[in-house]
Amino acid sequence: MYVKLHPDFSESPAAKEAADIVQSCVHCGFCNATCPTYQDRFDERDGPRGRIYLIKNMLESGQASDVARTHLDRCLTCRACETTCPSGVQYGRLADIGREMVDEIGERSFSQRIVRRLIRWVFPYSSRIRVLLGLGRFFSPVLPQALRRDIPPRQNLDQRPDVPTLADRKMVALQGCVQSAATPRTNHAAQRVLQRLGIDLIEAKAAGCCGAVSYHLGAADEGLDFMRRNIDAWWPLVEEGAEAIITTASGCGVIVKDYGELLKSDPDYAVKALRISELAKDLSEVLDKEDLSAFTDVADKSRTAVHCPCTLTHGQKLGGSLQRVLGKVGIPMTKTTEDHLCCGSAGTYSLLQPDMSQRLLKRKLKALSIDDPEQIVTANIGCQLHLGTQSEVPVKHWIELLDPAKSS
Ligand code: SF4
Ligand code: SF4
């Protein structure tokens, strides 16, 4: 479909990029079949094709309507539509540009701006999350049941990872923000598992949030600053020969793999960002290529349902990598349905769109539970915590099943 850019956007590279993406859509509507929000509401404007039209109108009129904002806000950015689209429309990138544009040319309500600012003030900082979690756990006995469920229990970390072995092979772990505060066991387990394979997993203390929280909340410049900070922290380790930048949260992984694209116009960071993106690997991607026979005896053999996050399946195009790794070490996996469906976590979505998020959560848990699993595993902190609020069985990061030093 042809886009006639409004004169206000004639000098905007982002608007031109958005117009090119819109023009690649042939409006066949196949994407609606796998879009969770369209499947929930059956409103064309809550599907990818409808949202593409809303962005097209914005590019042509130079105006952002409340209707466009509402329906773009309801999008999970799960990118299931990209996997389904026969024309290769880069919907995720378009949604990011569209959201930033909505906030630039039209003003959000005061309350929405405050909530978004608060989220950006808390979530990218593990120290602030730790304080919040500490308060939540302390006051938990007097909180209503619905709120209590949202506070993840403190993890037992008695068995610390061994000190680095000074192995020949080294990889760098992104410690991230929410995960390092809420489920620190994940990276400890990854460190122990890789150590058994002769790989030291090291962290750069100055690195932190991957930038996704700010970037997806329409604060692109703030997100890009987090990315530059991480690149500066990792670069000396890359120069010392680190083989990979490992992400154990697929939501972070998808954006680290995009650093090269997002910083391509920054003359100081473009080359380094591209190198970081080339080195970025999800943990399952790394283990998929290793000999895992040493783990068949130690692996947790409980009946396990696997939730492969959207950011792994659709964002990183690594659908099946989790199941392959778990299959190699003999973990019995239960049947599941609706594997393409988002669990409703989607970064900050569960906070900003709680009704839709809860409906998707219930539907996802039903799909994961049809074969009576004893536990559920996933590869993203957001999914893990979100599923954990309502699941009747424990929800873990999958690497815990291979951990030679399992904590309770
Ligand atoms: S499937 Fe692709 S080409 Fe078809 S309407 Fe959706 S985004 Fe457009
Ligand atoms: S990203 Fe997900 S929620 Fe958004 S339009 Fe695509 S399929 Fe629908």
Side-chain angles (χ1 to χ4, degrees):
M1 65 181 106
Y2 178 66
V3 179
K4 189 173 187 309
L5 271 186
H6 188 273
D8 285 357
F9 297 132
S10 58
E11 301 301 318
S12 162
K16 285 180 186 159
E17 186 182 355
D20 285 345
I21 298 173
V22 170
Q23 282 170 173
S24 66
C25 171
V26 297
H27 35 108
C28 60
F30 288 170
C31 48
N32 282 348
T34 53
C35 172
T37 56
Y38 179 79
Q39 293 299 318
D40 184 83
R41 299 180 69 88
F42 294 104
D43 179 334
E44 177 72 15
R45 296 165 304 178
D46 282 318
R49 182 172 60 179
R51 291 182 179 122
I52 290 171
Y53 270 105
L54 291 169
I55 293 172
K56 176 181 186 286
N57 286 342
M58 195 159 56
L59 292 168
E60 293 185 330
S61 67
Q63 296 189 342
S65 66
D66 284 345
V67 173
R69 184 196 307 284
T70 299
H71 295 286
L72 281 176
D73 281 352
R74 280 197 198 133
C75 169
L76 297 141
T77 330
C78 68
R79 295 169 63 179
C81 48
E82 284 188 20
T83 302
T84 313
C85 176
S87 304
V89 174
Q90 290 178 286
Y91 175 84
R93 177 72 187 131
L94 181 65
D96 280 337
I97 297 173
R99 287 193 182 114
E100 211 184 336
M101 213 171 256
V102 160
D103 282 346
E104 262 172 31
I105 56 182
E107 189 142 308
R108 282 186 181 277
S109 67
F110 180 69
S111 58
Q112 280 191 23
R113 277 184 284 139
I114 292 290
V115 169
R116 284 163 177 259
R117 192 70 198 86
L118 260 180
I119 290 173
R120 280 171 34 218
W121 188 78
V122 173
F123 282 83
Y125 303 94
S126 53
S127 55
R128 295 175 192 176
I129 299 169
R130 270 189 209 101
V131 171
L132 269 188
L133 282 175
L135 286 172
R137 286 169 186 147
F138 183 77
F139 289 110
S140 165
V142 295
L143 292 176
Q145 165 80 2
L147 267 182
R148 228 181 300 153
R149 276 197 314 241
D150 289 343
I151 303 167
R154 192 185 303 278
Q155 291 194 325
N156 173 9
L157 290 175
D158 286 346
Q159 293 170 289
R160 314 290 295 183
D162 298 336
V163 290
T165 57
L166 304 178
D168 288 342
R169 299 181 65 191
K170 286 187 178 25
M171 297 184 182
V172 181
L174 167 70
Q175 64 265 56
C177 44
V178 178
Q179 181 171 277
S180 64
T183 59
R185 194 191 294 161
T186 298
N187 272 15
H188 286 203
Q191 198 171 18
R192 284 186 284 261
V193 168
L194 287 175
Q195 201 164 56
R196 201 170 248 226
L197 293 167
I199 302 168
D200 277 350
L201 188 62
I202 47 183
E203 290 180 347
K205 292 291 171 225
C209 174
C210 62
V213 173
S214 306
Y215 196 81
H216 293 310
L217 283 179
D221 287 344
E222 186 177 273
L224 293 173
D225 281 342
F226 281 121
M227 297 173 203
R228 293 186 189 99
R229 187 265 326 262
N230 286 350
I231 293 170
D232 287 339
W234 292 331
W235 197 249
L237 301 169
V238 169
E239 289 189 313
E240 284 167 21
E243 270 180 59
I245 310 286
I246 302 250
T247 49
T248 51
S250 58
C252 306
V254 74
I255 201 152
V256 177
K257 286 184 174 181
D258 232 9
Y259 277 15
E261 177 64 24
L262 298 173
L263 288 165
K264 68 181 177 194
S265 313
D266 183 329
D268 296 326
Y269 283 86
V271 173
K272 289 181 183 174
L274 188 62
R275 181 71 188 130
I276 293 294
S277 290
E278 287 165 358
L279 290 173
K281 298 274 180 291
D282 184 79
L283 182 60
S284 65
E285 216 176 338
V286 171
L287 291 196
D288 203 11
K289 293 195 171 69
E290 300 289 329
D291 175 2
L292 300 181
S293 49
F295 295 93
T296 42
D297 289 341
V298 296
D300 176 346
K301 300 288 171 45
S302 309
R303 284 166 46 76
T304 302
V306 179
H307 167 51
C308 195
C310 305
T311 38
L312 201 60
T313 307
H314 310 300
Q316 301 190 46
K317 313 288 182 219
L318 288 173
S321 62
L322 271 191
Q323 287 88 338
R324 271 196 305 280
V325 170
L326 298 180
K328 277 187 197 173
V329 297
I331 291 168
M333 286 170 272
T334 58
K335 288 193 208 92
T336 55
T337 57
E338 302 201 294
D339 290 342
H340 67 281
L341 195 76
C342 175
C343 67
S345 165
T348 54
Y349 192 90
S350 57
L351 300 172
L352 296 169
Q353 302 283 337
D355 294 343
M356 176 87 77
S357 171
Q358 285 299 312
R359 287 199 296 277
L360 289 170
L361 172 61
K362 286 195 177 77
R363 186 167 166 178
K364 187 76 206 182
L365 279 172
K366 195 171 164 201
L368 287 168
S369 307
I370 52 157
D371 198 15
D372 291 328
E374 293 169 88
Q375 59 187 356
I376 295 171
V377 294
T378 187
N380 189 45
I381 176 64
C383 310
Q384 184 180 346
L385 297 181
H386 192 54
L387 292 167
T389 60
Q390 299 282 343
S391 173
E392 289 176 6
V393 295
V395 183
K396 302 176 178 174
H397 190 284
W398 63 270
I399 195 64
E400 292 179 54
L401 307 194
L402 276 67
D403 186 0
K406 290 182 190 66
S407 308
S408 55

